[in-house]
Amino acid sequence: MNREFNYQRLLKISETQEPYRGSENRFPFSDRKYGHKYFFKDVVDGVPQFRLCYYYRKDISEPNVFGIVRSDNTIEFDMGGRYMHQGLRQIMSRGYFNGVFNSSVRHGGIIYSKKIDKENNTWRVIPIFRGLRMNMDTLELHESSKYTFVKKTLDRKKSKEFLAKYENAYKVAEVMYVNLEQDKVSDIIKEIGREHFPKYWVENGNYGYLDIDNPKEVMDKADEILESSPFDSFILYINALNLWWKYSSNIKENYNRAKKRIYKVIQKNNDVFNVKEFDYTQNISSSAWGLDIKVNNNFVYRYL
């Protein structure tokens, strides 16, 4: 954790430095020349606390708050958006000797990791979510932030049984797909998408394309027509997942890649998993199927 966020340090800055021009309570948490790294001093029930900010949301009148530092030297993550971008992660991790923030798909979003035992190479790994409050020195979680994480592992028997209907239908789709002319594939994919969802079709001179703002709607339609029109079903999944442009020149390989991706999405959207819950005292572990976090039995807003 960046030591610039230490409560006593911020308190001293607010008491000994002049605020930025035009403000009564905006101060730098880094070098003063970096005006985009700043904090506000607020007094709540007679006790100062500090809102950490990085740049602005839309204009200088709307601070981009990412955390709140309180007198017990805890930081509460309070970003308004969904993403903790690389620049902010680097600021949070400044020095790296005291832990690092990074993005991990297999952990379900942003995590903070710190080596707590050099001899045994032991790390503490904590998921970062809106409302998380922890002590910056000890990493102890505030009572309000004690979480459980939900880990899924694929139940292969359930998955095989569930995917059987797709496997049978997509054998027909495969025969039709691999016999297409390679230079016609993208046009056919777009045309089938347009036929089923004309509302998503966008004309652009001599060139048209699908602009799908609700992929679930398209996937639901693909499931609905799975048995009656397996080829169209397969193509609708390609459109919903925007897979059509990620292809090589080998049409059989393209089919297999698309099918693998489609099956993974189908699995994620259905009950084919074994689920286990672990409490905050254990390191959050990785999972190919992502992880969910709950506080007081409610799922929380993960940062990506």
Side-chain angles (χ1 to χ4, degrees):
M1 190 77 68
N2 190 335
R3 291 180 177 176
E4 291 180 331
F5 303 153
N6 179 274
Y7 180 85
Q8 292 299 326
R9 179 180 179 274
L10 298 179
L11 181 64
K12 184 176 180 180
I13 290 173
S14 71
E15 292 176 341
T16 60
Q17 293 190 26
E18 292 293 323
Y20 277 116
R21 184 180 303 171
S23 170
E24 295 181 355
N25 68 336
R26 187 170 74 93
F27 301 89
F29 67 72
S30 187
D31 192 303
R32 194 175 184 88
K33 67 182 178 182
Y34 300 126
H36 58 288
K37 302 176 183 180
Y38 59 99
F39 70 91
F40 289 98
K41 178 181 180 179
D42 303 312
V43 178
V44 179
D45 296 329
V47 181
Q49 65 181 38
F50 309 107
R51 284 177 289 145
L52 300 170
C53 305
Y54 183 60
Y55 284 101
Y56 298 88
R57 286 193 183 281
K58 297 176 181 177
D59 55 55
I60 199 166
S61 65
E62 191 174 352
N64 188 29
V65 178
F66 65 84
I68 300 170
V69 176
R70 294 187 172 86
S71 59
D72 56 358
N73 206 35
T74 58
I75 182 170
E76 178 182 338
F77 294 91
D78 190 36
M79 287 176 291
R82 186 75 194 271
Y83 297 94
M84 180 184 281
H85 56 77
Q86 184 177 5
L88 181 54
R89 296 200 304 269
Q90 288 178 337
I91 287 174
M92 298 290 292
S93 309
R94 185 176 178 184
Y96 293 98
F97 56 83
N98 198 30
V100 61
F101 288 80
N102 54 46
S103 178
S104 171
V105 173
R106 293 181 67 89
H107 287 87
I110 301 297
I111 56 172
Y112 174 66
S113 51
K114 178 182 178 181
K115 185 177 287 188
I116 56 177
D117 186 337
K118 292 183 179 179
E119 289 187 8
N120 296 311
N121 195 32
T122 303
W123 290 75
R124 179 78 169 105
V125 182
I126 299 172
I128 304 301
F129 54 87
R130 181 179 290 174
L132 173 67
R133 183 177 171 185
M134 67 180 182
N135 186 283
M136 288 184 280
D137 295 323
T138 66
L139 304 187
E140 182 180 355
L141 297 185
H142 188 268
E143 193 66 34
S144 63
S145 300
K146 292 181 177 178
Y147 59 83
T148 57
F149 65 90
V150 183
K151 183 175 182 177
K152 296 178 179 178
T153 55
L154 187 67
D155 186 315
R156 297 190 179 280
K157 182 179 179 182
K158 281 185 184 179
S159 177
K160 185 176 181 180
E161 290 174 352
F162 187 84
L163 290 175
K165 61 182 179 182
Y166 293 92
E167 191 68 27
N168 292 331
Y170 287 164
K171 285 178 182 177
V172 177
E174 179 181 7
V175 173
M176 297 178 68
Y177 189 96
V178 298
N179 284 288
L180 296 174
E181 295 180 37
Q182 179 65 44
D183 60 349
K184 301 292 185 183
V185 172
S186 62
D187 290 337
I188 291 170
I189 289 172
K190 288 190 288 185
E191 188 56 38
I192 289 175
R194 180 184 184 181
E195 178 184 334
H196 289 278
F197 289 94
K199 66 180 180 180
Y200 290 139
W201 183 256
V202 178
E203 290 285 358
N204 186 15
N206 294 326
Y207 176 78
Y209 61 94
L210 287 159
D211 185 14
I212 298 172
D213 63 8
N214 185 359
K216 184 179 183 303
E217 180 185 15
V218 180
M219 289 189 286
D220 286 346
K221 181 65 176 180
D223 289 340
E224 180 186 323
I225 63 173
L226 177 66
E227 294 184 5
S228 61
S229 186
F231 181 69
D232 281 23
S233 170
F234 188 79
I235 298 301
L236 286 182
Y237 262 109
I238 288 177
N239 278 306
L241 302 176
N242 199 24
L243 299 176
W244 64 270
W245 56 272
K246 301 180 180 180
Y247 289 167
S248 71
S249 58
N250 186 315
I251 197 164
K252 174 66 173 177
E253 183 180 339
N254 293 341
Y255 171 83
N256 289 333
R257 285 180 180 178
K259 179 183 171 184
K260 183 178 180 180
R261 174 63 178 146
I262 290 167
Y263 278 13
K264 187 159 188 176
V265 170
I266 291 170
Q267 288 168 322
K268 279 189 173 182
N269 291 338
N270 291 279
D271 182 21
V272 293
F273 297 96
N274 297 314
V275 178
K276 290 186 177 181
E277 293 191 4
F278 304 85
D279 71 17
Y280 68 95
T281 61
Q282 302 180 63
N283 275 344
I284 183 170
S285 55
S286 63
S287 169
W289 303 99
L291 297 162
D292 293 313
I293 305 296
K294 295 196 295 186
V295 176
N296 296 325
N297 213 34
N298 295 313
F299 288 103
V300 297
Y301 189 87
R302 293 289 306 275
Y303 291 123
L304 303 176

